[in-house]
Amino acid sequence: MSSGVEYVRREVRQMAGYSPGHQPLPGSKVIKLNTNESPLPPSPAVVQAISKVLADSPLLRRYPDPQSMELRRVAAAIAGCRVEQVIAGNGSDELLRILLDTFIEEGEKVAFFSPSYSLYPVLTKIRGGAVQVLPLFQDGLLYQPRLDDAKLFFLTTPNAPLGFSFTNDYIRQMASNLNGILVVDEAYADFAQENALPLLAELENLVILRTLSKSYGLASLRVGLGFASAALIEQLEKVRDSYNLDRLAQVGARAALEDQEYLRETVALVVSERERLASVLQEIGFTVAPSQTNFIFVTPPSPYKAAELYAGLEKAGILVRYFSDPQLFHGLRISIGTRDEMDQLIMTMKNLMQIGDLK
Ligand SMILES: *Cc1c(COP(=O)(O)O)cnc(C)c1O
């Protein structure tokens, strides 16, 4: 008897699928430091704006604005570009998929570094593209590849899960080394000192992706933004779902963008906790990769093993991210939480390592 599965495309049958970080059930008492969400709620203006729509329920009968025009206008004003240079997506994950659907024919190459965002190979395979994985470093230096046949290059900057930023000089060079489109995935740029937006006017083969899931505390709302030349955005707009952002997401995201002061305050808090956690872990022997994001990648001193510390933390109700990948298995990626959460993490870590408090 047939199960129907034999009709599934070979690429899909053979792939493993993306494995997202663990999302505990609502109400479970864990300290969640495993998927780089904001430890702080979104701006109160977001809740107000969404409540206003909910209070006017006849509005929900209607389809939302297919162009997400108001949201894009605000995004363009903040980025200092024209509204025609902005696309809104159902999370930046949708924008990645739109980019693949727009540019990649069956068998064409999509390149990216390893380690970087583990969704890239999954989406590339679904599209039927050919994955080209490149090492981040060569001879101890950042690799600056020259690629003639990659149609798309996904560059995560700041890098996840390591946390460092590529400079704009590097990005400029990379764009000119490519015979294709450079997609700069800036999911964490709000925590960084530099970003690629100033290059938008200069580079025609550049697409910049942002998300409201991290710095704006809105991972639930699913809103991402893409920036590029008006000519490229016009093509991408044809490929997305016509109503890809629901009304609540459009209204909430716009309110979040309009409250830049709240963004600055929350980012400052996260950055100061990041620096504090980094220095405490360094004091007890960890190697801490310098971070321009809302997480840090840390390697415990010998004889401690990252996998064992991960398991010990989980037992104590603290979720961090452990990757079994040979390039990353020596460390842990820890999202920055509130001050209290960081204190709990530090205490638990010292207990696991049997380091007495010296104070
Ligand atoms: C979190 C993350 C995304 C996904 O963002 P969404 O807008 O939630 O889909 C994309 N790229 C990187 C590098 C990320 O860390």
Side-chain angles (χ1 to χ4, degrees), residues 35-36 89-94 96 116-117 119-120 156-160 185-188 209-214 218-219 222-225 295 333:
T35 50
N36 300 340
N90 187 234
S92 51
D93 288 352
E94 189 204 12
L96 292 169
S116 65
Y117 190 31
L119 186 64
Y120 304 146
T156 320
T157 180
N159 176 269
D185 183 349
E186 289 196 327
Y188 302 98
L209 300 183
R210 294 289 183 87
T211 174
L212 275 70
S213 297
K214 313 281 163 60
L218 284 173
R222 312 301 307 128
V223 181
L225 295 166
F295 58 83
R333 192 195 68 190

Side-chain angles (χ1 to χ4, degrees), residues 229-302:
S229 70
L232 284 184
I233 295 292
E234 187 187 350
Q235 301 299 318
L236 297 174
E237 279 286 298
K238 295 190 224 166
V239 174
R240 64 167 175 79
D241 279 352
S242 33
Y243 300 106
N244 61 336
L245 261 74
D246 67 64
R247 185 181 296 272
L248 302 180
Q250 289 185 31
V251 163
R254 176 187 167 186
L257 291 182
E258 281 173 336
D259 196 350
Q260 288 292 301
E261 192 180 329
Y262 186 84
L263 176 73
R264 274 191 293 276
E265 283 167 15
T266 48
V267 164
L269 271 172
V270 168
V271 167
S272 96
E273 280 308 308
R274 177 185 80 198
E275 296 310 307
R276 184 173 76 97
L277 178 65
S279 76
V280 173
L281 291 180
Q282 250 158 0
E283 271 168 36
I284 58 174
F286 279 80
T287 306
V288 180
S291 171
Q292 296 272 298
T293 66
N294 65 342
F295 58 83
I296 53 177
F297 190 85
V298 302
T299 306
S302 98

Side-chain angles (χ1 to χ4, degrees), residues 156-176:
T156 320
T157 180
N159 176 269
L162 296 177
F164 69 88
S165 280
F166 292 86
T167 63
N168 279 354
D169 282 339
Y170 178 97
I171 292 170
R172 212 180 260 119
Q173 187 64 45
M174 185 79 179
S176 74

